[in-house]
Amino acid sequence: MPELPEVETTRRGITPHIENNTITKVIVRNRSLRWPIPTGLNTKLKNRKILSVTRRAKYLLLKTDVGSLIIHLGMSGSLRISPMTTAVEKHDHFELQFKDGNCLRLRDPRRFGAVLWTKNDPQEHKLLINLGPEPLDKTFNADLLFNKSRKRKTSIKQFIMDAKIVVGVGNIYASESLFLAGIQPKRLAGKITKKHALDLTAAIKKILKQAIKQGGTTLKDFKSSDGKPGYFQQKLKVYDRKGEACATCKKPIKQITLGQRSTFYCTHCQK
Ligand SMILES: [Zn+2]
């Protein structure tokens, strides 16, 4: 599943190709994604220029002077730039064609992705307005994490995965951040110390920045037509490493289930 680093990598990959580029045609081949792709997009967007490509949580926001497209990659979506003469594949559901002969194609085999439209500020859209801070933003800091966690009886892992607290900390990154911060994932959010909050916010930022940096090396994949999304294998310390030796203490990594999600940690290094 594309997580925040993949979405940010996608944003950086497609931006130079579509920003300030003029849309000549919008093609919807299959409207039934997570929500139906709205009708009339070709009329609205024909001859409009993409003014900016930004990201909020895992939503990509393509702004024009008449409104914004909000794109989510869902479980299996990917965006690619290719010449519009490139053969269309089975799961290429949505396409923006540009004046320079290239197109932006959304491929989504499982169709949990979304293409939405708003003529207003997309930050005010109902899907975005209640989201917590961006993890790499200064507004996400130890004080915020500590204060919001008081009296919370959920596990710290589920707490940091709650998009109302902070966006973009998916299952993999939650396990990895808690390992880096030395915090046991089952610990109650209300019981973390100020030191924990400081270590954990720093760990989340570090892990996500690393993943984005690694994604940058695969940017070239966004301009290919081989159908492979530009996602990347990351160097993980605990996630999906059940029974393998902890990188720090060599004891086996443990797997548990928390909030129905696989959770990996070291019983020795994480307290
Ligand atoms: Zn360990």
Side-chain angles (χ1 to χ4, degrees):
M1 170 158 50
E3 295 288 351
L4 185 140
E6 283 92 345
V7 178
E8 176 59 20
T9 302
T10 299
R11 187 190 72 77
R12 294 179 187 186
I14 64 174
T15 299
H17 303 284
I18 67 171
E19 204 172 63
N20 294 317
N21 207 342
T22 302
I23 298 166
T24 50
K25 195 174 183 182
V26 181
I27 298 176
V28 180
R29 296 194 176 88
N30 185 345
R31 208 170 284 287
S32 47
L33 299 186
R34 181 166 179 186
W35 298 284
I37 299 178
T39 54
L41 285 180
N42 187 52
T43 313
K44 285 188 184 85
L45 288 171
K46 196 178 173 166
N47 299 323
R48 300 287 173 184
K49 198 181 266 186
I50 304 268
L51 301 174
S52 65
V53 184
T54 55
R55 178 188 59 75
R56 175 73 172 106
K58 295 205 282 180
Y59 296 95
L60 288 168
L61 312 174
L62 278 54
K63 191 179 174 213
T64 73
D65 62 354
V66 288
S68 298
L69 281 172
I70 302 174
I71 301 178
H72 196 283
L73 300 177
M75 306 286 284
S76 60
S78 61
L79 285 166
R80 282 181 338 283
I81 303 287
S82 42
M84 55 175 100
T85 49
T86 305
V88 173
E89 303 268 339
K90 189 179 174 191
H91 302 292
D92 291 344
H93 305 310
F94 178 82
E95 174 170 327
L96 294 177
Q97 295 188 342
F98 292 95
K99 210 174 175 179
D100 68 355
N102 283 323
C103 68
L104 178 72
R105 273 183 192 159
L106 172 68
R107 179 171 298 175
D108 188 359
R110 296 182 64 183
R111 290 193 279 117
F112 280 103
V115 176
L116 301 165
W117 171 257
T118 178
K119 58 180 172 27
N120 304 314
D121 178 359
Q123 305 283 355
E124 307 284 310
H125 191 275
K126 63 177 191 244
L127 291 172
L128 278 72
I129 195 158
N130 292 317
L131 292 172
E134 285 288 323
L136 299 179
D137 201 282
K138 285 194 182 92
T139 55
F140 175 64
N141 54 41
D143 285 343
L144 177 130
L145 193 75
F146 185 76
N147 293 336
K148 285 204 171 179
S149 63
R150 295 308 83 192
K151 295 185 180 157
R152 292 288 299 265
K153 291 188 166 51
T154 183
S155 73
I156 186 63
K157 183 184 175 235
Q158 286 165 286
F159 183 72
I160 58 172
M161 289 179 67
D162 179 350
K164 289 193 196 78
I165 303 302
V166 57
V167 300
V169 184
N171 199 36
I172 296 173
Y173 301 111
S175 280
E176 293 294 310
S177 302
L178 287 163
F179 176 77
L180 189 59
I183 303 168
Q184 134 94 265
K186 284 187 289 188
R187 179 182 277 271
L188 293 184
K191 299 278 185 194
I192 63 161
T193 63
K194 282 202 166 162
K195 170 83 165 58
H196 283 143
L198 202 63
D199 292 347
L200 187 53
T201 46
I204 289 170
K205 288 172 194 280
K206 189 177 176 189
I207 294 282
L208 290 172
K209 275 185 196 164
Q210 268 174 0
I212 291 168
K213 200 174 164 197
Q214 255 176 300
T217 61
T218 64
L219 280 184
K220 58 182 184 333
D221 293 334
F222 287 93
K223 213 193 170 188
S224 71
S225 54
D226 61 4
K228 285 186 195 135
Y231 308 144
F232 34 96
Q233 283 298 316
Q234 293 151 66
K235 293 172 205 134
L236 302 172
K237 291 262 171 65
V238 286
Y239 187 83
D240 211 15
R241 293 195 56 208
K242 182 189 175 186
E244 290 179 42
C246 165
T248 309
C249 73
K250 308 298 174 203
K251 291 205 165 60
I253 300 295
K254 191 175 176 181
Q255 178 179 12
I256 56 167
T257 303
L258 266 183
Q260 296 162 334
R261 304 300 298 274
S262 289
T263 302
F264 301 83
Y265 72 105
C266 174
T267 51
H268 181 74
C269 297
Q270 293 173 258
K271 302 291 179 196

